[in-house]
Amino acid sequence: MNTILIGIIVANVLISWKGFEDLYFFRKYEFHVGSIRSGEQIRMLSSGFLHVDMMHLFFNMLTLWFFASDVIHYLGNFSFVLIYFGSLIFGNLLTMVFHKNDYSYRAVGASGAVTGVLYSAILLNPDKEIGLYFFIWLPGYVFGILYLLYSIYGMRAKNDNIGHTAHFGGAIGGYLITLIKDPALIYDHTFIVVLLLIPILILFAMAKLGKL
């Protein structure tokens, strides 16, 4: 059992729980474009440890638990931490790009970091399967693509406080950092590398066409 992974999960649980119980704390540290643009840069990091509710927290931590072990096994603890926090920041940076003029935009969640770890794990171990609701087994790359397609839906629907845009920034972060750390993956797992790029390209195509 990896202590760094456990530490990250515990931090998410404790900080999220504090946010559930204390609205002032939640509002002070959530991702909020107006506050960030006025200088509160800590929100770029702190928002990744807050969640909307227990289901949001549970889903993110369960996904992290399933996929983090592969990243740690193949790349080590340092690279895992780099991918986790790098993806978190990538996710929030992309959110700023998409919503920089929407000063009221708010979001929370570890989704960017988790999606980065998910994408990294799939690149490293494309044969890994995950049990959706514990009885529908899917190849990891299928789950990853469905996860991002759901994020596109969330971005279009705009009916919750979840940082769906951050999923994509996180995916890009995990994707790039993993390929930089292990460029041989481009040749060893070419099909998966190309396949995981598709939903990212769909996102930018939709943004270009004004569909988001």
Side-chain angles (χ1 to χ4, degrees):
M1 189 173 294
N2 188 277
T3 55
I4 293 176
L5 173 59
I6 295 297
I8 288 174
I9 292 174
V10 168
N12 271 279
V13 170
L14 293 178
I15 295 171
S16 293
W17 187 262
K18 173 66 174 176
F20 298 155
E21 299 294 314
D22 186 342
L23 182 59
Y24 174 78
F25 179 87
F26 185 90
R27 291 302 183 200
K28 182 177 176 61
Y29 293 108
E30 68 180 349
F31 185 98
H32 179 242
V33 171
S35 299
I36 293 170
R37 294 197 64 171
S38 68
E40 297 180 27
Q41 303 300 326
I42 187 64
R43 293 172 182 260
M44 294 286 286
L45 180 64
S46 62
S47 60
F49 289 86
L50 292 167
H51 290 81
V52 172
D53 52 35
M54 283 299 298
M55 283 303 298
H56 184 207
L57 172 64
F58 176 77
F59 183 72
N60 271 339
M61 294 303 100
L62 183 65
T63 304
L64 178 63
W65 178 263
F66 275 127
F67 288 97
S69 57
D70 290 309
V71 179
I72 294 167
H73 174 74
Y74 286 100
L75 297 180
N77 284 325
F78 176 78
S79 292
F80 165 68
V81 172
L82 179 64
I83 289 167
Y84 185 89
F85 285 97
S87 298
L88 194 162
I89 297 302
F90 262 88
N92 283 338
L93 286 174
L94 186 67
T95 303
M96 285 298 294
V97 169
F98 271 75
H99 299 281
K100 62 181 180 296
N101 296 319
D102 182 0
Y103 281 68
S104 64
Y105 181 85
R106 303 172 184 271
V108 293
S111 302
V114 172
T115 308
V117 172
L118 167 69
Y119 252 54
S120 177
I122 295 169
L123 285 169
L124 293 163
N125 186 14
D127 295 327
K128 183 183 181 76
E129 292 189 337
I130 184 170
L132 193 61
Y133 301 113
F134 303 103
F135 64 88
I136 302 174
W137 289 91
L138 298 172
Y141 63 88
V142 173
F143 178 82
I145 291 171
L146 291 176
Y147 192 66
L148 290 193
L149 292 177
Y150 164 72
S151 299
I152 290 178
Y153 165 77
M155 290 171 67
R156 286 176 57 84
K158 298 180 174 67
N159 58 4
D160 56 37
N161 200 37
I162 298 171
H164 295 287
T165 311
H167 295 180
F168 282 91
I172 294 168
Y175 186 85
L176 292 178
I177 295 170
T178 302
L179 292 180
I180 289 170
K181 297 292 289 186
D182 191 356
L185 292 170
I186 297 172
Y187 306 100
D188 296 339
H189 299 153
T190 305
F191 175 72
I192 300 299
V193 170
V194 173
L195 197 62
L196 291 180
L197 185 59
I198 291 173
I200 296 173
L201 295 177
I202 290 173
L203 169 76
F204 287 108
M206 291 180 68
K208 183 76 171 177
L209 295 171
K211 300 295 185 181
L212 293 176

